[in-house]
Amino acid sequence: MFTGIIECLGAIRRIEQVGGDVRMTIAAPGYLEGSQLGDSIAVNGVCLTATAFDGDAFVADLSSETLDATTARQWQSGDPVNLERALTPAKPLGGHMVSGHVDGVGTLVDLQEDARSWRLRFEAPPALAHYIARKGSITIDGISLTVNDVDGCRFGVNIIPQTWTHTTLGRRAVGDPVNLEVDLIARYLERLLTARETT
C-alpha cells in the first residue's frame, strides 16, 4: 500500500527486453538507503518489486500485463518518474490509500495556470468514469489528488506549486497519457453491491 505522496523524482536509466518482458533500472540518488530486495516501490503509480540494486538505482521486472495496462510501455531512458516506497506503520498517511495497481490510462486534455497553481483536466476511460466523484480522491501517475469537478469522462484537479515542481506533472503536456488509479473504497463498494444484487 502507498499514500500517493511522492517522495522522490527518479529517472529511467535503462530498459532491457528480457524473454518477452521488460527489465528496467530506475535511478534514485540518495533515496534508496534502507531499501531491500523485494521491497515495493511505486513508479508513476505502478507498484514494482525491487529485484536488484545497482548503486543509486534499483532494478524491476515488468510483465506484459503491467506493460499493457499502464503507460510503462511508453517510458524511455532518461524519463523522470514519481517514486514512493510502500507504506509503513511509522509513515504518515498524508494522501489516501493507494494500491499501486493501475486501473487504466487517462489523457491530459487541458492545462491552465491559475495564480500560483495549475488547473489540469484529464479524460478517463469510460469504464472508470463512474468511480470518479467531485471532492473524491484520484491517483494520477502515483500522485494523490482531490477531484475538483467531474463532467462525464473528464475531471479537473488543482496542482499546488509543491506538487508542480516535485513531481512529473510539471513536465506534462496536453495529450500526454497518465496512469489512473481510482479510489479503493469506490471500487470495493461497487463489487459488494454487484455481488449482493446477484445473490
Side-chain angles (χ1 to χ4, degrees):
M1 297 299 295
F2 305 91
T3 69
I5 303 299
I6 303 306
E7 299 175 320
C8 175
L9 199 57
I12 304 295
R13 177 175 289 172
R14 185 166 51 252
I15 301 175
E16 307 167 79
Q17 301 292 326
V18 181
D21 291 337
V22 169
R23 179 171 296 149
M24 289 191 186
T25 303
I26 299 151
Y31 178 63
L32 298 171
E33 184 176 348
S35 296
Q36 301 178 8
L37 290 178
D39 280 359
S40 295
I41 302 175
V43 181
N44 275 6
V46 183
C47 179
L48 299 179
T49 300
T51 59
F53 293 96
D54 182 8
D56 62 357
F58 69 96
V59 179
D61 291 313
L62 285 76
S63 67
S64 296
E65 169 67 20
T66 299
L67 296 171
D68 291 342
T70 71
T71 60
R73 194 180 294 279
Q74 300 170 48
W75 298 348
Q76 298 180 13
S77 181
D79 281 354
V81 288
N82 299 316
L83 301 179
E84 182 191 355
R85 285 180 285 203
L87 182 63
T88 65
K91 185 176 177 181
L93 183 56
H96 70 283
M97 297 298 285
V98 175
S99 70
H101 302 154
V102 173
D103 292 302
V105 175
T107 305
L108 176 60
V109 295
D110 192 43
L111 175 68
Q112 299 289 333
E113 196 167 1
D114 183 7
R116 294 189 308 116
S117 296
W118 291 82
R119 292 189 180 272
L120 278 63
R121 181 163 292 279
F122 295 90
E123 184 164 340
L128 296 183
H130 66 282
Y131 293 110
I132 303 171
R134 182 178 179 274
K135 299 306 177 185
S137 296
I138 186 80
T139 307
I140 300 175
D141 278 346
I143 306 161
S144 173
L145 296 168
T146 300
V147 176
N148 286 350
D149 61 88
V150 180
D151 181 11
C153 290
R154 296 190 173 192
F155 65 95
V157 296
N158 186 74
I159 308 301
I160 62 171
Q162 170 74 13
T163 305
W164 186 254
T165 57
H166 289 85
T167 72
T168 57
L169 285 182
R171 297 164 172 81
R172 290 280 174 244
V174 170
D176 282 355
V178 293
N179 291 320
L180 299 178
E181 181 182 333
V182 299
D183 184 62
L184 281 172
I185 296 172
R187 191 189 316 155
Y188 282 115
L189 181 59
E190 180 189 53
R191 176 62 178 154
L192 287 169
L193 292 173
T194 302
R196 184 174 295 172
E197 289 172 359
T198 58
T199 57

